[in-house]
Amino acid sequence: MMISQIDIAAIRSVLANMDPKSAVSAARPMSITDLYAPPLHSKALRFNSSLVVGNRGAGKSVWSGALADKETRMELASHYDRLGLDKMVVVLGFHEDAGKVKGVAPSPLTLSSILANGVDPETIWMAVLLKAIATEIEVDVPSNLRETVNWMLDDPERFEAVLRKADHHFGRRQQKFLLVFDAVDRLANSWDKIRPLSQGILRLGLSMLGFENMRAKIFLRTDQEGDEALFNFPDASKIRAMTVRLAWHSSELYGLLFSTLERDEISKKAFQNIKKFVGNVIDIDINSEEFQRSVFSLIAGEFMGADHRRGRTYTWLIDHLADAFHETSPRSFLIALQRAASSHSKPSRTVIDHHGIREGVQAASAVRVNQLEEDYPWIQTVLGELEGLEVPCKPDAFIKRWVNENTVAQVMRVAKTTGRPGPIGLEGTGSRDRENSLLEALKNIGVVEERSADRINMPDIFRVAAKIKRRGGVRPPSGKVRRK
């Protein structure tokens, strides 16, 4: 089947005019009209899933914001009808905008001040829990967090009685209470402060497992989850065993695309026509790989060239947008499609083609590195010094570049300028191990992968923007890499 020119124009118009949203924050949730609820992500929203781990762009702030906003949570309840989201009471314990918007989440400045007085981090978060409970049940606690800490320490039995009362209160109302923590990397400006505060949150989450109707839900970055020092406390394995990883597999990404086409009035009819044609051959299931592959072949053509030897569009696109964890962010996926549909060279028989898809990967690579920079301000500095290298290569090729360019010193200057910490593990590292720590940091966030004992590779989604070469790979665009 060939798509009609009217349907091609309608779908191309919607793709070309897509506006892939930049990151939201937990306090500023994504619009309900933009929200897509992948079936597999239900695990992250479950009441008993206390630890949710994901890389930048995986959806940590999307889901924390969706949970915290009552209207959005009720909408989600219709998609995830077995989770009891409509019976949940959710309060943000920490988030990116803490201290800037109304709520119980303390600002980093407040946390630093209380921590400097020798207060145990778990006690600080217990006080935040108490303030959160006070928004739902009648408890006469101080409005000031420091005074709330003292209120707890002055009479621990009274505090414990309040927690029991709250647990009973939510149970009697058939409700579940969640204290949600997002953007944990923003707790302070150095890892020697972030780590104990983060560990305090995890210890609180462990303690709350003892309640029937109250839990903490902690959204954590992949590099923090890989920091063994963070989990160096008794029974940490219990909460670590409950980890849910946020990831977007091909079925979720194509489900997102098709959901977008189905919701838009311009492309709705065209997409229905394609579904109807494919449905004459196979069952219509928007989450089925067979169905998705057939539909996307009509939209983009089946192959990345004349035949199968250069790959199939359905898998090629995802493979070349994936990081070292073999995960693709939805924003990268949508940007690639948007750019493909906006290509000057427009195919006549399909909405997009393999030429546009390659352009899309180039565009998505630049945006993905910029997106990572929001969490890791040092990433442009580290990648910028690698321009011109060819991967796979020995780790020494990276190390020598960084040594020659004094990259570690530049990274530390970026940290000082931005007020954001450098790579985990770099602080306090001896001079001989500094560049190795940078390499480990790139591995921990999925920018670099080990191919063998002495070879490393960089996926296209980062390699292209960094202007690093790979034989047979997508070509980097012309121009200089932006460096810090």
Side-chain angles (χ1 to χ4, degrees), residues 10 16 61 73 93 114 129 145 171 185 200 224 267 274 282 285-286 301 315 317 319 356 403 424 434 448 465 470 474:
S61 293
R73 190 169 67 249
I114 298 175
L129 170 61
L145 183 60
D185 58 296
Q224 288 181 286
S267 58
I274 293 174
I282 60 176
D285 179 0
I286 200 169
T315 52
L317 177 58
D319 289 344
V403 170
I424 294 178
R434 297 185 311 171
V448 167
R470 184 171 68 82
V474 177

Side-chain angles (χ1 to χ4, degrees), residues 137-139 160-170 172:
I137 67 173
E138 190 173 338
V139 184
E160 291 168 2
V162 169
L163 294 184
R164 289 194 297 270
K165 176 184 176 183
D167 194 39
H168 179 70
H169 166 86
F170 294 120
R172 189 173 66 251

Side-chain angles (χ1 to χ4, degrees), residues 303-324:
F303 305 119
M304 288 298 296
D307 54 39
H308 70 279
R309 286 176 293 181
R310 291 190 179 274
R312 287 178 161 79
T313 56
Y314 178 83
T315 52
W316 192 97
L317 177 58
I318 301 295
D319 289 344
H320 289 263
L321 293 174
D323 62 17

Side-chain angles (χ1 to χ4, degrees), residues 182-257:
D182 186 44
V184 178
D185 58 296
R186 305 295 180 97
L187 289 167
N189 58 10
S190 65
W191 292 115
D192 63 347
K193 292 180 180 178
I194 295 174
R195 189 176 285 114
L197 286 167
S198 301
Q199 190 177 91
I201 293 174
L202 292 169
R203 286 163 53 200
L204 172 68
L206 180 63
S207 297
M208 290 182 70
L209 295 179
F211 297 111
E212 187 175 349
N213 303 298
M214 298 195 299
R215 291 286 186 276
K217 186 176 289 291
I218 306 151
F219 290 87
L220 209 61
R221 286 186 348 192
T222 54
D223 57 332
Q224 288 181 286
E225 192 259 346
D227 181 12
E228 292 300 325
L230 184 60
F231 292 86
N232 186 21
F233 59 91
D235 292 328
S237 59
K238 291 182 180 178
I239 195 165
R240 207 167 192 178
M242 305 171 74
T243 301
V244 172
R245 300 189 181 281
L246 272 181
W248 289 76
H249 304 293
S250 59
S251 61
E252 286 97 49
L253 291 165
Y254 283 105
L256 170 63
L257 167 63

Side-chain angles (χ1 to χ4, degrees), residues 424-441:
I424 294 178
L426 187 60
E427 293 178 9
T429 303
S431 59
R432 296 184 63 182
D433 297 319
R434 297 185 311 171
E435 285 74 25
N436 283 314
S437 293
L438 280 186
L439 186 58
E440 285 302 312

Side-chain angles (χ1 to χ4, degrees), residues 48-69:
N48 284 315
S49 297
S50 293
L51 184 58
V52 182
V53 175
N55 212 344
R56 180 73 186 185
K60 299 187 298 298
S61 293
V62 169
W63 293 130
S64 58
L67 285 171
D69 183 72

